Amino acid sequence: MKAEWIVWGFWLLAAFLSGSIMFCRFLPRWIAHKDVCVLSADHNPGAGNVFVCCGIPLGMLCLLLDIGKGFLPIYLACRQVNPQHILFALLMAAPVLGHALAVFDRGPGGKCISVSFGVLLALVPLTPACWVLAAVYILFSTVIRIGSHRKRSIVAFAVFAVVAAALLVYMGQIAMATGCVLIAAIAIVKHLVAPEETEAKEME
């Protein structure tokens, strides 16, 4: 039993610290000598701002690394822990929370979109939650278009939480359903506390 708790503790910490690595902040500084938090309209250390401020190659690198830091710890942890254990919900949320808090950086932390997809991609063999998040983002970006990225993300994650939770509870995956709700809650809070001028500039 003690060994099991040590394993859970290790992966929870590893996942949180993995998410805390702000690739979109320090790689542009090192490679392009640019601070995307200073140059971008919303001051967000995200891959989208790296694309805009530093170009496609560096933007792609940062996007893949942001997805990877959510994907890798969850993918590896699934080899040692039980995805049906309720602690798995915390494990799913750990990289997202790490990205939101950015403990290795003095910046504001990111908005959690890429790392959330990374976590869910690692679980594709076990759950369709990744496709649910992708579908709602596509829905509110094309069919029911919400112009403000901030509002679109809040609505998308809220709908994702409801749909994914209902679907996974129906499938008997209670821990993963809880994890999806936690991921959505973290992302929604990060978008809600974003500065008001962020939305205004995106709407221009």
Side-chain angles (χ1 to χ4, degrees):
M1 180 63 69
K2 183 178 180 180
E4 181 183 3
W5 283 106
I6 291 174
V7 171
W8 276 109
F10 170 81
W11 284 113
L12 284 166
L13 180 61
F16 177 80
L17 294 179
S18 176
S20 299
I21 304 172
M22 305 305 291
F23 294 108
C24 293
R25 188 84 188 273
F26 73 77
L27 282 181
R29 281 176 171 175
W30 291 355
I31 297 174
H33 307 292
K34 295 180 179 179
D35 189 335
V36 296
C37 289
V38 173
L39 296 174
S40 60
D42 60 1
H43 311 297
N44 174 54
N49 285 334
V50 180
F51 276 103
V52 172
C53 299
C54 304
I56 293 175
L58 189 53
M60 282 299 301
L61 175 62
C62 289
L63 174 62
L64 292 174
L65 289 172
D66 265 6
I67 293 173
K69 72 181 185 180
F71 177 93
L72 189 61
I74 304 303
Y75 178 82
L76 295 176
C78 283
R79 271 71 185 152
Q80 292 190 315
V81 301
N82 179 9
Q84 301 304 322
H85 195 294
I86 193 60
L87 283 178
F88 197 77
L90 298 181
L91 184 61
M92 289 173 62
V96 182
L97 183 62
H99 184 75
L101 298 179
V103 295
F104 295 139
D105 189 78
R106 294 181 181 179
K111 293 181 181 177
C112 308
I113 299 172
S114 298
V115 68
S116 296
F117 273 106
V119 169
L120 299 176
L121 275 170
L123 301 175
V124 163
L126 304 175
T127 172
C130 182
W131 312 130
V132 174
L133 182 58
V136 295
Y137 253 103
I138 293 171
L139 174 66
F140 294 118
S141 298
T142 57
V143 181
I144 308 173
R145 181 167 173 76
I146 301 176
S148 164
H149 174 71
R150 183 190 189 196
K151 290 180 178 178
R152 181 166 65 248
S153 293
I154 292 170
V155 172
F157 272 103
V159 172
F160 162 73
V162 174
V163 175
L167 177 61
L168 296 182
V169 167
Y170 176 77
M171 295 172 63
Q173 298 177 339
I174 306 301
M176 292 187 193
T178 307
C180 288
V181 172
L182 291 176
I183 288 172
I186 295 167
I188 289 170
V189 168
K190 283 300 297 185
H191 283 84
L192 285 173
V193 301
E196 289 297 326
E197 65 266 24
T198 298
E199 182 173 315
K201 288 181 179 179
E202 290 173 346
M203 294 287 286
E204 289 176 355

